[in-house]
Amino acid sequence: MPIKLNRSKLAATAVALLALSACDNQQKVYEQNDVVIHNIDKSVKPGDDFFKYANGTWLKEHPIPAAYSAWSIFNMVQEDLRNKMRKINEDAMKANAAKGTNTQKIGDFYYSGMDTATIEKLGLSPLKEQLARIDAIKDTKSLVDAFATLLTIGVNTPIGAYAGQDERNSEKMMLQLYQTGIGLPNRDYYLKNDEHTAAVRNDYQQKHLPALFNFLGNNNEAAKKAAQQTYAIEKFLADSSRTLQDLRDPYHNYNKMPLASLSKLSPLVDWKATFDKAYYEKVDSVIVGQPEYLRAVNAALTKFSLDDWKNYLRKNLLEEFSPYLNKAVADENFRFYGTVISGKKEQLPRWKRVLDVEEAVMGEVLGQIFVKEYFPEKTKKRYEEMVEAVRTSFKDHIDKLDWMSPATKKRAYEKLAKVYPKVGYPDHWRNYSGLEIDKHKYVQNIMNSAQFDRKFNASKLGKPVDRTEWGMTPQTYNAYYNPSNNEIVLPAAIFTIPGTADDKIDDAVVYGYGAASTIGHEITHGFDDEGRQFDEKGNLKPWWTPQDSAKFATRADMLVKQFNGYKVNDLHVNGKATLGENIADLGGIVIGLDAFKKTKQYKEGKTINGLTPVQRYFLGYALGWLGHSRKETLSNQILTDVHSPNFLRVNGPFSDVPEFYEAFGVKKGDKMWIDPDKRVKIW
């Protein structure tokens, strides 16, 4: 009697075997393309310095190249992008494209920047028209007119202005004024007396400024005198500028007023005429960030002579365009800003510098080409789905908060639900048809770009807010949260892990690298000490109960104290200035981890190269901050940046996460140990 075959059972068995084989194959792919295992330094105890444990071998094998102030995963991505952009530009130069096309603009801009013979021959002549305008200043009115005109080509003047969303009415674009006008990185460089800051300040006064005035045709004595006059103006403005931490208070830096009130702050400035010359027409009211600064500008207009101001503007004009002028001028700019401030030993090759400038000039033109070739739809879909996984995890965290009232939770849910994600690249590309590019005029191309951008910015006044606009190009290795739009913007390049295709990296690493340090981080910015003050529509408006605000502040203050305790190059980290980023780091880690716990990889619990899924998650996060910086760069970062140094963005928040202790067996006595009752938990 023939045996009857159970075909459905056989088919099911075959499918199961195929699935098992596919899983095994995928496991092998992950093992062979493991982007974290080879970076580990097993000589370092995870609980003493997890950053060095996770990245130490890479750090030893990759010293900082002479042309860089730091060497990190950012630089590796950037190098890959530059190589891709170089080919795009070289192809454009050969294309003989019609004038006005994007290809013509790409090719001619690149040619103009690489044509060092013409640049050297021209010397300072590209600045001739603007220098003549400064020479012609005869009174306060013409001085302020020069401020406005120079502003349109990107030159630093005492008047800083841009059109941006009204923080209390996010549907409206308003002209906003802010403190500016100084040449050193920020006001602390004029006021602090630590060794690094004092050395930078001394070089600026005694070497850099006199050198610029020498280039402008002054003899040594006249150059020294002009340098002293210019520094005196900058110091006066710095004295009335706010600190890094004070600039993070949105209410304190929001002062809306009609032009009549603005004129009371600075009566020597004809504000309507000034705005008109800077392309901001029909302005009847403004938002002033720092009113005391504008009072100082008004006082400076009478305190310092016209000759002092002319020298100040000549120096600012030359400083702005120094990197694009002849070799002697560009070398001095690099010596001070590259070496003295950042510790770089040599300049980047010319082609890399030109590409970096082109990125700033017309990055979206390049971005259109970049995403077609290097960001496939399946990758975009992976991260769009990850955004929603992180959003769900964040909602779960709000549900479980024991310190937040139901009333505030309800509003938090509403805000979270309306966070708008922009992933990869814009839906609509910017139109560059109005930008003129000439293959023989490098500096003029950059001036044209600045004017093009200024007019574009000014055109936003009186129009509906364009919520589709991006503030970064797709090939930017960065991301941001915009509180006025309640949006997260995640460029394609931010998800890149150099040398490895996205589909060959396991979820554990990707969730640490992308969901925690990027997606979760940016969403948490909407709920950090600054972002939480904006409602679901992007308006600066109280929506927390006073009691909940107080509880949040208590927890945030614990994080301030934690980071105040970290020291870098004898400088303490500024826990208040870095608070928003530190909250976002901690929030991103814990929210991203709980999102990862819902994945198949976490539930199966299989190891890859001896590492558990949770261990790989933490290593993936640490990979996002892989890198090291020169001493000078770290000191500058402590003084000027709201971000903590990379190693503290790993070790700092990990010390507050219980799962980190469990995953790596961290015990009391290990250097990263914090007693449970002192660990920070906000979101």
Side-chain angles (χ1 to χ4, degrees), residues 195 234 240 357 405 420 544 604 654 658:
E195 183 179 352
E234 293 184 4
S240 293
V357 177
S405 68
Y420 183 68
W544 293 54
E604 288 182 345
F654 278 11

Side-chain angles (χ1 to χ4, degrees), residues 240-420:
S240 293
S241 297
R242 292 184 184 172
T243 64
L244 192 62
Q245 65 195 54
D246 287 339
L247 291 172
R248 294 196 66 256
D249 183 336
Y251 283 100
H252 188 42
N253 291 280
Y254 181 99
N255 302 278
K256 192 172 183 178
M257 62 185 69
L259 287 193
S261 297
L262 180 61
S263 294
K264 291 178 182 177
L265 286 178
S266 300
L268 292 175
V269 178
D270 182 341
W271 286 105
K272 184 180 184 307
T274 300
F275 294 150
D276 286 347
K277 282 186 171 60
Y279 309 139
Y280 298 106
E281 300 174 351
K282 298 179 181 177
V283 174
D284 56 10
S285 59
V286 297
I287 297 172
V288 177
Q290 303 80 35
E292 69 277 13
Y293 170 79
L294 291 183
R295 292 191 192 98
V297 170
N298 194 76
L301 290 172
T302 57
K303 179 178 176 64
F304 299 100
S305 71
L306 284 180
D307 284 341
D308 293 345
W309 279 112
K310 288 181 182 182
N311 279 326
Y312 166 86
L313 291 179
R314 291 182 188 113
K315 168 260 169 182
N316 283 4
L317 174 67
L318 180 59
E319 191 88 272
E320 179 64 32
F321 296 102
S322 288
Y324 325 120
L325 290 165
N326 55 297
K327 186 176 185 302
V329 177
D331 284 352
E332 172 55 28
N333 177 273
F334 173 78
R335 185 200 69 79
F336 181 69
Y337 289 102
T339 301
V340 175
I341 289 182
S342 300
K344 298 175 185 176
K345 308 303 180 187
E346 62 184 42
Q347 295 196 62
L348 288 172
R350 181 85 193 178
W351 68 271
K352 291 184 180 181
R353 285 182 273 154
V354 174
L355 286 181
D356 288 352
V357 177
E358 185 183 44
E359 169 72 12
V361 168
M362 45 183 158
E364 278 201 22
V365 173
L366 298 171
Q368 294 177 53
I369 302 169
F370 169 77
V371 297
K372 283 180 183 177
E373 297 188 24
Y374 304 114
F375 194 68
E377 190 61 35
K378 66 177 181 178
T379 303
K380 189 174 191 291
K381 186 173 184 292
R382 181 182 196 179
Y383 291 104
E384 287 175 336
E385 291 174 350
M386 194 174 291
V387 168
E388 296 312 316
V390 172
R391 192 198 304 264
T392 299
S393 176
F394 205 137
K395 184 178 183 300
D396 292 342
H397 275 248
I398 295 171
D399 283 339
K400 296 171 185 174
L401 291 178
D402 59 5
W403 56 267
M404 182 179 278
S405 68
T408 304
K409 282 186 178 184
K410 182 175 182 295
R411 295 296 301 274
Y413 295 143
E414 291 172 2
K415 179 170 183 176
L416 178 64
K418 291 187 177 179
V419 171
Y420 183 68

Side-chain angles (χ1 to χ4, degrees), residues 86-317:
R86 185 181 193 178
K87 184 180 185 307
I88 290 169
N89 275 268
E90 289 176 347
D91 289 347
M93 281 199 301
K94 299 171 187 172
N96 195 28
K99 186 170 176 56
T101 62
N102 284 344
T103 301
Q104 174 263 318
K105 290 172 184 175
I106 291 171
D108 285 359
F109 185 89
Y110 188 67
Y111 182 93
S112 73
M114 295 300 293
D115 184 8
T116 55
T118 298
I119 291 169
E120 203 66 29
K121 181 181 176 181
L122 290 173
L124 300 191
S125 63
L127 308 183
K128 184 178 178 181
E129 180 183 340
Q130 301 302 332
L131 287 170
R133 190 186 302 275
I134 294 170
D135 290 342
I137 292 171
K138 62 182 185 300
D139 53 26
T140 301
K141 181 183 182 306
S142 56
L143 172 62
V144 175
D145 285 349
F147 291 170
T149 303
L150 290 169
L151 179 69
T152 66
I153 59 170
V155 176
N156 182 23
T157 79
I159 294 175
Y162 70 98
Q165 283 168 274
D166 184 339
E167 291 185 329
R168 294 194 178 186
N169 180 6
S170 64
E171 297 298 325
K172 187 175 181 181
M173 300 296 289
M174 290 283 298
L175 186 61
Q176 319 222 12
L177 303 182
Y178 58 92
Q179 67 187 42
T180 179
I182 58 177
L184 289 170
N186 75 358
R187 48 94 68 189
D188 285 353
Y189 275 89
Y190 296 86
L191 304 172
K192 285 185 175 289
N193 290 307
D194 61 272
E195 183 179 352
H196 169 75
T197 309
V200 170
R201 182 169 60 240
N202 182 65
D203 188 291
Y204 186 66
Q205 291 178 267
Q206 303 301 321
K207 294 181 181 179
H208 183 60
L209 290 179
L212 295 183
F213 285 109
N214 282 148
F215 291 134
L216 288 163
N218 297 275
N219 62 33
N220 288 342
E221 185 177 342
K224 185 177 180 180
K225 183 179 179 182
Q228 291 171 343
Q229 294 165 340
T230 295
Y231 184 83
I233 291 175
E234 293 184 4
K235 173 66 164 58
F236 187 83
L237 297 176
D239 285 338
S240 293
S241 297
R242 292 184 184 172
T243 64
L244 192 62
Q245 65 195 54
D246 287 339
L247 291 172
R248 294 196 66 256
D249 183 336
Y251 283 100
H252 188 42
N253 291 280
Y254 181 99
N255 302 278
K256 192 172 183 178
M257 62 185 69
L259 287 193
S261 297
L262 180 61
S263 294
K264 291 178 182 177
L265 286 178
S266 300
L268 292 175
V269 178
D270 182 341
W271 286 105
K272 184 180 184 307
T274 300
F275 294 150
D276 286 347
K277 282 186 171 60
Y279 309 139
Y280 298 106
E281 300 174 351
K282 298 179 181 177
V283 174
D284 56 10
S285 59
V286 297
I287 297 172
V288 177
Q290 303 80 35
E292 69 277 13
Y293 170 79
L294 291 183
R295 292 191 192 98
V297 170
N298 194 76
L301 290 172
T302 57
K303 179 178 176 64
F304 299 100
S305 71
L306 284 180
D307 284 341
D308 293 345
W309 279 112
K310 288 181 182 182
N311 279 326
Y312 166 86
L313 291 179
R314 291 182 188 113
K315 168 260 169 182
N316 283 4
L317 174 67

Side-chain angles (χ1 to χ4, degrees), residues 435-489:
L435 176 61
E436 291 284 334
I437 299 295
D438 187 311
K439 72 185 297 183
H440 301 296
K441 297 180 179 180
Y442 188 43
V443 171
Q444 189 60 52
N445 288 337
I446 294 166
M447 288 185 181
N448 289 350
S449 167
Q451 287 183 314
F452 177 76
D453 285 340
R454 183 66 59 174
K455 288 176 181 177
F456 176 74
N457 181 250
S459 71
K460 298 177 182 180
L461 292 176
K463 293 180 182 177
V465 173
D466 181 4
R467 296 183 184 269
T468 68
E469 185 182 349
W470 280 51
M472 287 178 178
T473 66
Q475 63 272 23
T476 301
Y477 188 76
N478 208 337
Y480 66 90
Y481 171 77
N482 176 359
S484 293
N485 277 353
N486 192 25
E487 66 181 6
I488 56 171
V489 181

Side-chain angles (χ1 to χ4, degrees), residues 3-50:
I3 299 173
K4 285 180 124 182
L5 296 176
N6 187 334
R7 298 186 183 279
S8 61
K9 186 174 181 181
L10 286 173
T13 302
V15 169
L17 287 171
L18 284 171
L20 185 61
S21 176
C23 287
D24 289 342
N25 288 338
Q26 190 63 56
Q27 186 83 353
K28 287 177 182 176
V29 168
Y30 293 152
E31 289 174 355
Q32 292 167 359
N33 294 275
D34 194 342
V35 293
V36 296
I37 190 70
H38 302 297
N39 296 334
I40 292 173
D41 183 351
K42 293 185 178 179
S43 71
V44 180
K45 195 175 181 182
D48 283 346
D49 187 338
F50 189 80

